[in-house]
Amino acid sequence: MPELPEVETIVRDLRLKIIGQQIERIAVNLPKMVRGNQGDFASRLRGLFIKWVRRRGKNIIVDLTGDLSLLIHLKMTGQLFYVSIDSPLLKHTHFIFDFVDNDHQLRYSDKRQFGHMHPVDSPQLEQLPELAKLGPDPLEITLEEFAEVVRRRRRKIKPLLLDQTVLAGLGNIYTDEALHRAGIHPEQLSSTLSGYEVEALYRAIQGVLRKAIEHAGSSVDNYLRIDARPGDYQRLHQVYRCQGKPCSRCDHPIVRKKMGGRGTYFCPHCQKIEPPFKHHEFKGHSKSNLNSKRSMIRE
DNA sequence: CTGCATGTTAGGTT
DNA sequence: CAACCTAACATGCA
Protein backbone atom coordinates (compact mmCIF):
# COMPACT_ATOMS: atom_id res chain seq x y z
CA MET A 1 0.00 0.00 0.00
CA PRO A 2 2.61 2.53 0.79
CA GLU A 3 3.37 4.24 -2.51
CA LEU A 4 5.45 7.34 -3.20
CA PRO A 5 3.35 9.85 -1.16
CA GLU A 6 3.13 7.54 1.87
CA VAL A 7 6.85 6.73 1.80
CA GLU A 8 7.68 10.41 1.30
CA THR A 9 5.52 11.31 4.32
CA ILE A 10 7.24 8.68 6.45
CA VAL A 11 10.68 9.88 5.34
CA ARG A 12 9.90 13.52 6.12
CA ASP A 13 8.43 12.64 9.52
CA LEU A 14 11.39 10.39 10.35
CA ARG A 15 13.84 13.18 9.54
CA LEU A 16 12.28 15.36 12.22
CA LYS A 17 12.57 12.60 14.80
CA ILE A 18 15.65 10.45 14.35
CA ILE A 19 18.36 12.53 12.63
CA GLY A 20 21.35 12.85 14.95
CA GLN A 21 20.21 10.08 17.27
CA GLN A 22 22.46 7.22 18.29
CA ILE A 23 21.22 3.62 18.18
CA GLU A 24 21.55 2.05 21.63
CA ARG A 25 20.24 -1.40 20.79
CA ILE A 26 17.95 -3.20 18.38
CA ALA A 27 15.59 -6.03 19.26
CA VAL A 28 15.02 -8.36 16.33
CA ASN A 29 11.95 -10.49 16.90
CA LEU A 30 11.79 -12.02 13.43
CA PRO A 31 15.28 -12.45 11.95
CA LYS A 32 14.02 -13.57 8.54
CA MET A 33 12.92 -9.97 7.90
CA VAL A 34 16.60 -9.03 7.64
CA ARG A 35 18.24 -9.22 4.23
CA GLY A 36 21.90 -10.00 4.08
CA ASN A 37 23.64 -11.32 7.18
CA GLN A 38 20.93 -11.86 9.80
CA GLY A 39 23.25 -12.85 12.61
CA ASP A 40 25.15 -9.59 12.97
CA PHE A 41 22.34 -7.15 12.10
CA ALA A 42 21.89 -5.69 15.58
CA SER A 43 25.58 -5.64 16.49
CA ARG A 44 26.51 -4.01 13.19
CA LEU A 45 24.14 -1.11 13.77
CA ARG A 46 24.66 -0.64 17.49
CA GLY A 47 26.27 2.69 18.41
CA LEU A 48 25.85 4.27 14.98
CA PHE A 49 24.30 7.71 14.51
CA ILE A 50 21.55 8.54 12.03
CA LYS A 51 22.80 11.04 9.50
CA TRP A 52 19.97 11.35 7.00
CA VAL A 53 16.78 9.67 5.76
CA ARG A 54 15.77 9.63 2.11
CA ARG A 55 13.48 7.96 -0.41
CA ARG A 56 14.19 6.19 -3.67
CA GLY A 57 10.95 5.06 -5.32
CA LYS A 58 9.13 3.25 -2.52
CA ASN A 59 12.38 2.45 -0.68
CA ILE A 60 13.42 4.18 2.52
CA ILE A 61 17.16 4.71 2.97
CA VAL A 62 18.54 5.54 6.41
CA ASP A 63 22.14 6.76 6.16
CA LEU A 64 24.22 6.00 9.25
CA THR A 65 27.71 6.85 10.43
CA GLY A 66 30.36 4.28 9.58
CA ASP A 67 29.43 4.41 5.90
CA LEU A 68 26.48 2.14 6.48
CA SER A 69 22.97 2.58 5.11
CA LEU A 70 19.80 0.76 6.05
CA LEU A 71 17.51 0.02 3.15
CA ILE A 72 13.89 -0.49 4.20
CA HIS A 73 11.04 -1.61 1.96
CA LEU A 74 7.56 -1.73 3.47
CA LYS A 75 6.03 -3.74 0.60
CA MET A 76 2.30 -3.94 1.34
CA THR A 77 1.86 -4.02 5.08
CA GLY A 78 5.09 -2.72 6.60
CA GLN A 79 4.72 0.09 9.15
CA LEU A 80 7.27 2.29 10.91
CA PHE A 81 6.33 3.91 14.20
CA TYR A 82 8.20 6.37 16.37
CA VAL A 83 6.45 6.12 19.71
CA SER A 84 7.03 6.26 23.43
CA ILE A 85 8.61 3.17 24.98
CA ASP A 86 5.45 2.94 27.11
CA SER A 87 3.06 2.64 24.21
CA PRO A 88 1.59 -0.84 23.80
CA LEU A 89 3.33 -3.17 21.37
CA LEU A 90 1.42 -3.95 18.21
CA LYS A 91 0.95 -7.57 17.30
CA HIS A 92 3.35 -7.91 14.36
CA THR A 93 6.28 -5.85 15.66
CA HIS A 94 9.46 -7.39 14.26
CA PHE A 95 12.08 -4.75 15.10
CA ILE A 96 12.49 -2.30 17.96
CA PHE A 97 15.21 0.37 17.84
CA ASP A 98 16.18 2.01 21.12
CA PHE A 99 18.11 5.28 21.06
CA VAL A 100 20.57 6.70 23.57
CA ASP A 101 18.97 9.13 26.04
CA ASN A 102 15.55 8.92 24.50
CA ASP A 103 12.16 7.71 25.68
CA HIS A 104 10.94 6.93 22.19
CA GLN A 105 11.51 3.87 20.03
CA LEU A 106 11.48 3.23 16.32
CA ARG A 107 9.38 0.14 15.68
CA TYR A 108 8.84 -1.86 12.52
CA SER A 109 5.70 -3.89 12.22
CA ASP A 110 4.57 -5.95 9.24
CA LYS A 111 1.48 -8.11 9.26
CA ARG A 112 2.34 -10.09 6.16
CA GLN A 113 6.12 -10.09 6.53
CA PHE A 114 6.81 -9.18 2.90
CA GLY A 115 8.92 -6.16 3.76
CA HIS A 116 12.55 -6.19 4.79
CA MET A 117 15.48 -4.30 6.26
CA HIS A 118 18.81 -4.54 4.53
CA PRO A 119 22.06 -3.07 5.87
CA VAL A 120 24.35 -2.10 2.99
CA ASP A 121 27.74 -0.39 2.80
CA SER A 122 26.76 3.11 1.65
CA PRO A 123 29.21 3.27 -1.29
CA GLN A 124 27.66 0.09 -2.71
CA LEU A 125 24.03 1.16 -2.33
CA GLU A 126 23.58 2.28 -5.91
CA GLN A 127 24.82 -1.04 -7.20
CA LEU A 128 22.11 -3.04 -5.47
CA PRO A 129 19.95 -4.45 -8.27
CA GLU A 130 16.71 -3.36 -6.57
CA LEU A 131 17.88 0.27 -6.59
CA ALA A 132 19.92 0.19 -9.79
CA LYS A 133 16.94 -1.05 -11.78
CA LEU A 134 14.60 1.72 -10.64
CA GLY A 135 13.46 4.26 -13.20
CA PRO A 136 13.36 8.02 -12.57
CA ASP A 137 11.23 9.59 -9.86
CA PRO A 138 7.91 10.78 -11.30
CA LEU A 139 8.29 14.12 -9.51
CA GLU A 140 11.72 14.68 -11.04
CA ILE A 141 11.40 13.37 -14.58
CA THR A 142 11.00 16.04 -17.29
CA LEU A 143 8.05 16.06 -19.68
CA GLU A 144 10.41 15.28 -22.55
CA GLU A 145 11.87 12.23 -20.80
CA PHE A 146 8.39 11.06 -19.82
CA ALA A 147 7.08 11.40 -23.38
CA GLU A 148 10.08 9.46 -24.62
CA VAL A 149 9.55 6.42 -22.36
CA VAL A 150 5.78 6.34 -22.81
CA ARG A 151 5.90 6.49 -26.60
CA ARG A 152 8.89 4.22 -27.12
CA ARG A 153 7.16 1.36 -25.29
CA ARG A 154 4.18 -0.50 -26.59
CA ARG A 155 2.30 -1.49 -23.45
CA LYS A 156 -1.00 -0.82 -21.77
CA ILE A 157 -0.53 2.45 -19.96
CA LYS A 158 -1.48 1.26 -16.46
CA PRO A 159 1.01 -1.63 -16.21
CA LEU A 160 3.62 0.66 -17.77
CA LEU A 161 3.11 3.27 -15.04
CA LEU A 162 3.22 0.57 -12.36
CA ASP A 163 6.54 -0.75 -13.67
CA GLN A 164 9.18 0.49 -11.22
CA THR A 165 11.91 0.25 -13.84
CA VAL A 166 10.02 2.82 -15.91
CA LEU A 167 8.99 5.20 -13.10
CA ALA A 168 9.82 4.59 -9.46
CA GLY A 169 7.07 5.20 -6.93
CA LEU A 170 3.63 4.79 -8.46
CA GLY A 171 1.41 1.98 -7.18
CA ASN A 172 -2.17 0.92 -7.68
CA ILE A 173 -3.83 3.91 -6.03
CA TYR A 174 -2.01 6.74 -7.74
CA THR A 175 -1.90 5.22 -11.24
CA ASP A 176 -5.68 4.87 -11.19
CA GLU A 177 -6.12 8.39 -9.77
CA ALA A 178 -3.71 9.93 -12.30
CA LEU A 179 -5.27 8.15 -15.29
CA HIS A 180 -8.70 9.37 -14.22
CA ARG A 181 -7.46 12.91 -13.79
CA ALA A 182 -5.94 12.76 -17.29
CA GLY A 183 -9.04 11.14 -18.80
CA ILE A 184 -7.10 8.14 -20.13
CA HIS A 185 -8.31 4.53 -20.13
CA PRO A 186 -5.94 2.25 -18.16
CA GLU A 187 -5.75 -0.20 -21.09
CA GLN A 188 -4.89 2.40 -23.71
CA LEU A 189 -1.70 1.45 -25.53
CA SER A 190 1.10 3.77 -24.42
CA SER A 191 2.46 4.21 -27.94
CA THR A 192 -0.90 5.50 -29.18
CA LEU A 193 -1.18 8.44 -26.76
CA SER A 194 -1.20 11.84 -28.42
CA GLY A 195 1.27 14.52 -27.40
CA TYR A 196 -1.56 16.30 -25.65
CA GLU A 197 -2.51 13.17 -23.69
CA VAL A 198 1.09 12.46 -22.68
CA GLU A 199 1.39 15.96 -21.29
CA ALA A 200 -1.98 15.72 -19.53
CA LEU A 201 -0.89 12.44 -17.96
CA TYR A 202 2.45 13.89 -16.88
CA ARG A 203 0.72 16.81 -15.17
CA ALA A 204 -1.90 14.50 -13.66
CA ILE A 205 0.73 12.21 -12.13
CA GLN A 206 2.65 15.09 -10.59
CA GLY A 207 -0.52 16.87 -9.47
CA VAL A 208 -1.94 13.78 -7.78
CA LEU A 209 1.36 12.92 -6.08
CA ARG A 210 1.94 16.48 -4.81
CA LYS A 211 -1.61 16.73 -3.48
CA ALA A 212 -1.30 13.33 -1.82
CA ILE A 213 1.97 14.34 -0.13
CA GLU A 214 0.30 17.55 1.10
CA HIS A 215 -2.36 15.34 2.66
CA ALA A 216 0.18 12.92 4.18
CA GLY A 217 -0.81 10.00 1.94
CA SER A 218 -3.79 7.65 1.74
CA SER A 219 -4.79 5.49 4.70
CA VAL A 220 -6.58 2.52 3.19
CA ASP A 221 -6.14 -0.79 5.01
CA ASN A 222 -2.71 -0.47 6.54
CA TYR A 223 -0.78 2.74 6.11
CA LEU A 224 -0.30 5.01 9.12
CA ARG A 225 2.13 7.83 9.79
CA ILE A 226 4.98 7.24 12.23
CA ASP A 227 2.94 8.71 15.09
CA ALA A 228 0.10 6.29 14.15
CA ARG A 229 -2.15 9.02 12.78
CA PRO A 230 -3.82 8.20 9.46
CA GLY A 231 -3.17 10.10 6.25
CA ASP A 232 -5.88 12.18 4.71
CA TYR A 233 -5.80 11.75 0.98
CA GLN A 234 -8.16 8.74 0.82
CA ARG A 235 -11.00 11.26 1.27
CA LEU A 236 -9.99 12.84 -2.02
CA HIS A 237 -9.85 9.65 -4.08
CA GLN A 238 -11.89 10.02 -7.27
CA VAL A 239 -11.76 6.37 -8.38
CA TYR A 240 -9.69 4.11 -6.13
CA ARG A 241 -12.17 1.87 -4.28
CA CYS A 242 -14.98 4.17 -5.43
CA GLN A 243 -16.80 1.62 -7.60
CA GLY A 244 -20.48 2.44 -7.96
CA LYS A 245 -20.04 6.07 -6.94
CA PRO A 246 -20.74 8.75 -9.53
CA CYS A 247 -17.72 10.07 -11.41
CA SER A 248 -16.79 13.54 -10.19
CA ARG A 249 -16.61 14.78 -13.76
CA CYS A 250 -19.49 13.11 -15.61
CA ASP A 251 -21.67 11.43 -12.96
CA HIS A 252 -21.43 8.00 -14.59
CA PRO A 253 -20.64 5.26 -12.07
CA ILE A 254 -17.01 4.30 -11.45
CA VAL A 255 -16.33 0.65 -12.26
CA ARG A 256 -13.84 -1.85 -10.93
CA LYS A 257 -12.21 -4.26 -13.32
CA LYS A 258 -9.56 -6.89 -12.78
CA MET A 259 -6.58 -6.08 -14.97
CA GLY A 260 -3.43 -8.14 -14.99
CA GLY A 261 -4.28 -9.53 -11.59
CA ARG A 262 -5.02 -6.21 -9.91
CA GLY A 263 -8.10 -4.21 -9.16
CA THR A 264 -8.44 -1.28 -11.51
CA TYR A 265 -10.86 1.58 -10.94
CA PHE A 266 -11.90 4.00 -13.68
CA CYS A 267 -14.76 5.87 -15.27
CA PRO A 268 -15.75 4.11 -18.49
CA HIS A 269 -17.44 7.28 -19.72
CA CYS A 270 -14.65 9.83 -19.46
CA GLN A 271 -11.74 7.37 -19.78
CA LYS A 272 -12.32 5.81 -23.19
CA ILE A 273 -9.87 3.82 -25.26
CA GLU A 274 -9.05 6.00 -28.21
CA PRO A 275 -7.96 4.38 -31.48
CA PRO A 276 -4.41 5.09 -32.56
CA PHE A 277 -4.13 8.41 -34.32
CA LYS A 278 -3.43 8.17 -38.04
CA HIS A 279 -2.25 11.32 -39.68
CA HIS A 280 -3.67 10.62 -43.16
CA GLU A 281 -7.16 10.09 -41.73
CA PHE A 282 -6.99 13.44 -40.03
CA LYS A 283 -5.86 15.16 -43.21
CA GLY A 284 -8.89 13.68 -44.94
CA HIS A 285 -11.13 15.37 -42.34
CA SER A 286 -13.22 12.29 -41.78
CA LYS A 287 -16.39 13.00 -39.84
CA SER A 288 -15.58 10.64 -36.98
CA ASN A 289 -12.22 12.27 -36.42
CA LEU A 290 -13.55 15.78 -36.52
CA ASN A 291 -16.18 14.97 -33.96
CA SER A 292 -14.03 13.03 -31.54
CA LYS A 293 -12.31 14.48 -28.54
CA ARG A 294 -9.11 13.10 -29.97
CA SER A 295 -9.13 15.11 -33.15
CA MET A 296 -9.80 18.30 -31.23
CA ILE A 297 -6.86 17.53 -29.03
CA ARG A 298 -4.39 16.81 -31.81
CA GLU A 299 -2.85 19.71 -33.64
C1' DC B 1 -14.62 -22.66 3.12
C1' DT B 2 -13.47 -19.06 -0.99
C1' DG B 3 -11.74 -15.06 -2.80
C1' DC B 4 -9.56 -10.71 -2.39
C1' DA B 5 -6.27 -7.06 -0.94
C1' DT B 6 -1.35 -5.33 -2.72
C1' DG B 7 4.58 -4.82 -4.08
C1' DT B 8 7.85 -7.26 -6.01
C1' DT B 9 10.34 -10.95 -8.06
C1' DA B 10 10.95 -15.29 -10.38
C1' DG B 11 9.95 -18.17 -14.03
C1' DG B 12 7.65 -19.38 -18.03
C1' DT B 13 5.14 -18.40 -22.53
C1' DT B 14 3.90 -15.77 -26.54
C1' DC C 1 14.49 -8.60 -26.42
C1' DA C 2 9.68 -6.98 -25.11
C1' DA C 3 5.31 -7.86 -23.31
C1' DC C 4 2.46 -10.48 -20.56
C1' DC C 5 0.87 -14.12 -17.26
C1' DT C 6 0.95 -16.69 -13.00
C1' DA C 7 2.67 -18.13 -8.69
C1' DA C 8 4.75 -17.11 -4.50
C1' DC C 9 5.38 -14.68 -0.19
C1' DA C 10 1.71 -14.40 4.79
C1' DT C 11 -2.16 -12.59 6.92
C1' DG C 12 -6.70 -10.89 7.80
C1' DC C 13 -11.09 -9.71 6.33
C1' DA C 14 -15.86 -10.11 3.99
Side-chain angles (χ1 to χ4, degrees):
Chain A
M1 315 232 57
E3 303 179 26
L4 187 153
E6 290 75 31
V7 176
E8 181 66 25
T9 301
I10 290 167
V11 163
R12 290 181 185 186
D13 287 347
L14 277 178
R15 278 184 196 142
L16 300 175
K17 299 296 184 186
I18 66 170
I19 302 261
Q21 292 215 53
Q22 184 180 20
I23 297 171
E24 186 170 83
R25 65 179 286 271
I26 303 173
V28 181
N29 297 328
L30 192 60
K32 71 154 197 163
M33 305 286 299
V34 174
R35 281 221 183 148
N37 192 333
Q38 295 168 1
D40 70 356
F41 177 78
S43 58
R44 209 172 158 196
L45 289 159
R46 185 180 304 126
L48 300 182
F49 290 84
I50 297 181
K51 292 199 300 192
W52 189 236
V53 187
R54 55 202 166 102
R55 176 185 66 76
R56 179 87 174 84
K58 301 172 191 170
N59 296 271
I60 298 166
I61 300 169
V62 181
D63 293 312
L64 303 153
T65 50
D67 258 351
L68 193 68
S69 294
L70 183 58
L71 181 63
I72 305 172
H73 201 302
L74 305 173
K75 290 287 178 88
M76 293 192 284
T77 53
Q79 296 171 312
L80 281 169
F81 296 110
Y82 184 81
V83 291
S84 158
I85 53 173
D86 304 324
S87 77
L89 262 198
L90 266 70
K91 195 166 171 194
H92 303 281
T93 302
H94 307 312
F95 297 88
I96 303 171
F97 290 64
D98 276 294
F99 299 101
V100 175
D101 293 330
N102 196 288
D103 62 350
H104 277 57
Q105 294 173 325
L106 181 67
R107 300 177 182 173
Y108 179 80
S109 124
D110 192 339
K111 192 171 24 178
R112 290 169 69 177
Q113 308 171 22
F114 291 169
H116 51 83
M117 296 209 176
H118 190 177
V120 185
D121 292 325
S122 304
Q124 291 167 39
L125 248 190
E126 293 307 320
Q127 292 154 45
L128 273 189
E130 59 219 277
L131 292 187
K133 285 190 309 190
L134 290 179
D137 195 280
L139 290 174
E140 287 168 15
I141 192 171
T142 66
L143 173 59
E144 291 69 29
E145 292 167 330
F146 180 72
E148 164 74 9
V149 287
V150 166
R151 295 201 122 141
R152 209 183 47 211
R153 311 293 204 101
R154 218 186 153 74
R155 294 176 67 180
K156 289 172 180 173
I157 189 64
K158 165 149 176 170
L160 180 76
L161 295 177
L162 281 174
D163 186 337
Q164 302 297 297
T165 68
V166 173
L167 281 184
L170 291 176
N172 214 27
I173 297 174
Y174 298 103
T175 46
D176 282 0
E177 291 297 323
L179 286 167
H180 176 259
R181 194 189 270 223
I184 295 170
H185 192 288
E187 291 175 294
Q188 169 109 26
L189 213 53
S190 63
S191 52
T192 68
L193 291 170
S194 70
Y196 178 94
E197 287 169 318
V198 171
E199 180 166 355
L201 180 56
Y202 174 79
R203 308 227 176 275
I205 290 168
Q206 294 202 342
V208 163
L209 293 177
R210 291 208 183 95
K211 254 298 176 260
I213 292 169
E214 275 176 38
H215 288 262
S218 304
S219 283
V220 290
D221 292 348
N222 237 250
Y223 161 73
L224 292 173
R225 304 179 66 169
I226 65 171
D227 58 5
R229 278 186 301 153
D232 205 26
Y233 192 70
Q234 66 283 354
R235 293 189 303 116
L236 301 179
H237 289 177
Q238 306 293 301
V239 287
Y240 185 75
R241 296 203 183 173
C242 295
Q243 67 270 42
K245 295 184 186 158
C247 171
S248 53
R249 283 216 303 260
C250 72
D251 260 13
H252 285 71
I254 300 302
V255 303
R256 175 187 177 277
K257 188 184 169 192
K258 197 97 173 165
M259 267 186 53
R262 36 213 327 144
T264 298
Y265 303 85
F266 66 104
C267 169
H269 185 256
C270 51
Q271 293 172 261
K272 288 220 163 71
I273 295 197
E274 303 282 355
F277 174 69
K278 299 214 179 72
H279 194 60
H280 65 274
E281 285 175 17
F282 180 72
K283 277 209 290 203
H285 281 205
S286 82
K287 204 187 265 178
S288 62
N289 258 342
L290 276 179
N291 292 337
S292 72
K293 164 181 127 191
R294 165 143 292 194
S295 63
M296 318 253 307
I297 277 164
R298 296 188 160 160
E299 35 283 297

